[in-house]
Amino acid sequence: MATYKSGMVAIGLLVASNVAVAGNWVRSEGEKAIGANLSYATANQFWNQNRVLGPFACGTHDNTGLGLNAEYGLSYHYTLIAQAGLHKIACGPNSASGLGDVAVGIRGRLDALSNGKAWELKLIVPGGYDAAAPVRLGYGEVGLEAGAYFGPPFDAYDEDPYKPGYFPKLDSYWEYGGFTRVWNGAPATEIAGHVKWKHAISDTWKIGPALNVHWTFGKGDRQFPNLFGNRFAYTRSVVVGVELSTLIGERTSFHITPQATVWGENAAKSVGVSVGVSKAFK
Amino acid sequence: MLLAVFACGMSLSAVGADAPPADFPFFPKSTPYLTASPAKKAVKVVKQKSGAAAPGFDYRQKAANEDALGFNMEAGGDSRNLEYMGPFGQILNGPLPIASIELQMDEDESVLLFYKPAHDNSSFAVSVLKEDGQQLKGRVSVKGSSTRGFIKKSLLVKLDKESKGDWYGYRKISLNSMASDPSMLREWLAWDLARAAGMNVLNTFYTRLYLNKKYVGLFLFTEWVGPEVFDRAGLGTDGELYQPNDATHCGDLSAASMDGPTQTTGKKLNRGNSCYEKFSPADGNMANLAQLANGITATPKDSYHEFVDSHFHNDSLLNWIVVNGILTNGDTYNKNYFLYYSNKVAQWEVMPWDYDLTMGRSWDPYLGAPRDVFNSNFVYYYGPDIGFPGQAKTKTLEDPVLFERLKRRTAHLLGIGKPYGDERTYGWFSPERVAARVNVIQNNTINDAQQDMFSSNRIYSYDEQADAIKYFALAHYAYLKAASVGDESKWQYVYDPNQPMNPAPTVASTLQASWTVQRPGYDRPLVDKSGKIASVIRVRSISKPVTITSTVLGFQTPPALPPERSANQCLKRSWELTTKGGGPLVADVTLEYLQENSQNSDARGLEGEQKDLQLWLLDGGIWTPQFTRVNVLSKTLTVRELSLAANRTLRFVACVDSPDVPSQQSSGAVSTKDVSVPTPIGKAFQHFIDNLKK
């Protein structure tokens, strides 16, 4: 309903950018929401830039992240969003931890009379990490992201979506969206899309598969050496997962999503899980 | 572009934006002394605890007239002068007080205000345009809870702090849409009755809303409840203001209610933490309220009246139960009221809230939301104990002193038996005076109702809505007189915590009542000893006295059916009228059927729509269809100018012609699907494209 959590992108990317939390829900004026998403991913292998699978020279790559996001309903039309990720990434002797990229932006309605369809515009800034280190928390560049996200529609005849236990009264529905991200400097321009299908298994629980595709236009310019044995600042991946979600209290949602990267280029072949909680306050 | 849909709807209006008169009684600065003419001179209502009627007033003659002639439900039908209660307990006569308010806001946002997702709480910039040209800037938002699902939204305008001035003394302008009550009468009548009962309540008055110079509809201004409302009754502004939490609906003033929402449900529900909200001062300190609730629970039954008299100001607890009982307000005692503790007098005052689901409206336990609340059921036959069995109420009814006081005050306001208070409020809510008020309000607001683009009375006419209210007044009066508060009633209140809140499915029943008619008159209910109406007869002409016996066989298939009609095409109710003695007479006959909820209904399983019901008359072995006026809201079927021969028995059944597809319930407004508003970004993009084209 409220926020699409995409921890999967970070797992596929390794180079974190774990600010990829996107939403199709525009908040009421004055409404506040906070969310936390804990993720863990591990990988022994990666796909190089020729999409050939091989082992990490440094051993096992582990990425533990805590994505945080906050939203505030500025007006009926716009919601302010702020996102940040704390990470601990390690591969053999190499490790890095701390604040990754930080994003601030705005979300707006694609349909003035409804909710569940939104655009986003975000500015991404590096959080002060060492972008030259072999294991790093991001590209170390400023980026600009524009996306559009879609979920089931809500209109004037719907019940109160803030009611505890509320879910769209649909046996199943789709959520999908995508974004493009342009960077200052070396990183390649990215384009990504996701699609989820959610199916009701009870009055409050939903389950369904999720697919996330990440692509770049070109391979970007050369940057600092990375764990994939090159200097290109780009990554391409396909991540699949299964999301189980529910509401655990008044305007409080929860999800757990096991996921795996099934195809990649300049990307880790990782498996992991993300667990998230978000809460809205009127 | 599609904004035109909205604009066209609103531009239909030709209602004028008149300024309210200088002596408008419901503005904060109004006092009884501002009333202009001697006819409107303020009269303080005498405290009704021990009052007696003025000498010369003969209540027995009134009762005898009602018995002989019935009630004139067309009273005031050609008048625009209304009898109503002012905010200071004064009785006023004159035109219906109606104000107008003109708002100005962005055109697109004026559409969003009504058509955006129902539970979005966003506000929009607005200006209140005053007559002198002054613009007061503020924000407008949608208010309410379940009523947000209607397209015609209730609105709240809050003026900005920087905006100097006010709208007739108000800086928070709360406009109830009355969308849940298409009659647009219930709340007005309810607040008026509460004032007549001696309660200090919020100011309310009809208000025409204009938005961007276009008429939108008729709203009910509902004063924002704050300490200053209670100060009007001399309670000061430094008191404590509480309201039960609407979402938890457990604030029944019991000691247990201070422990959160577990006590009324038996199990912990995730409904929040508190049964109450404290609005003023907003310090979260519930100590005073806890002391009251603990006192209500701990006080023994035989001294409860002393507790109530010492703790509640102006008998407001008892008056609240009286008013709710008269109005059949079942949506309270655990929610929908305010409570104010006055430091000045060290007493509590109860103020009712939310009277839209009254006067026949009923919750249906067998339907899902929102039809459980917003449905076409109609109830008449509930006593003054209606509503959630909260402890403050049940203990009041269990206390013999308070119980007697409640019965007498209820009877006084209905005009039953000996007066118990000011003569001028005796019979304030009697059928005839309610009908007069309804008729006059209709005369004053018929244009508004017809041009209100949002009103759902496009399904049922405004006349039908008003007639249903009048029939409620008649039927509920008859029931309370016979079963609860009349001299011959035997009502004993016994609280049984194991009794289910929902009535058991009704079984086959028989009603019977007789009346000897002497001369033509008005609407005369023939009332069974249970208090239920067997029929309402209005005799138009008669040659000799006749005794009419009216019999009803309810909740059972009629013993005989008209030709080519199956049982499922007919109501499970039939009626008999037997005349004895005298000569023939001509009368209008109204017969009711019951639909208290979707299960307890004579119309259950009916293969057709109730609006298509037609009465069939069996006389001398021959069935003849009758021209029938159906009121689907009040569940009544009327045949006009029916000839009743002497010493005959006429049998009636009500059937539909053939199975029909039920029509879609509609709000009467433009569907969301037919309305579109560009987003600000979309609008900017469109401007950009337009400029490129140029």
Side-chain angles (χ1 to χ4, degrees), chain B residues 637-659:
Chain B
L637 310 160
T638 300
V639 178
R640 286 188 172 152
E641 299 190 6
L642 183 73
S643 295
L644 288 91
N647 300 311
R648 295 285 279 271
T649 295
L650 308 179
R651 294 188 172 84
F652 297 87
V653 298
C655 303
V656 294
D657 279 346
S658 58

Side-chain angles (χ1 to χ4, degrees), chain B residues 493-559:
Chain B
Y493 179 76
V494 179
Y495 173 53
D496 177 3
N498 298 316
Q499 194 177 357
M501 286 280 286
N502 309 323
T506 307
V507 294
S509 59
T510 303
L511 308 175
Q512 194 165 67
S514 294
W515 172 47
T516 299
V517 54
Q518 308 278 350
R519 57 186 185 275
Y522 304 111
D523 288 342
R524 170 63 159 80
L526 274 66
V527 184
D528 177 69
K529 62 179 185 300
S530 66
K532 296 180 180 179
I533 286 180
S535 61
V536 177
I537 294 178
R538 178 178 185 168
V539 175
R540 292 192 173 270
S541 66
I542 183 172
S543 54
K544 293 177 187 171
V546 178
T547 297
I548 302 172
T549 299
S550 180
T551 307
V552 178
L553 303 176
F555 298 101
Q556 53 195 294
T557 302

Side-chain angles (χ1 to χ4, degrees), chain B residues 72-82 431-446 463 466-467 470 522 538:
Chain B
N72 181 7
M73 305 304 278
E74 293 171 4
D78 53 357
S79 172
R80 292 177 78 86
N81 272 347
L82 182 73
E432 202 160 293
R433 285 169 85 178
V434 172
R437 256 171 239 129
V438 168
N439 293 333
V440 173
I441 292 173
Q442 248 192 310
N443 291 342
N444 281 278
T445 60
I446 186 72
D463 283 345
D467 284 351
K470 288 190 281 185
Y522 304 111
R538 178 178 185 168

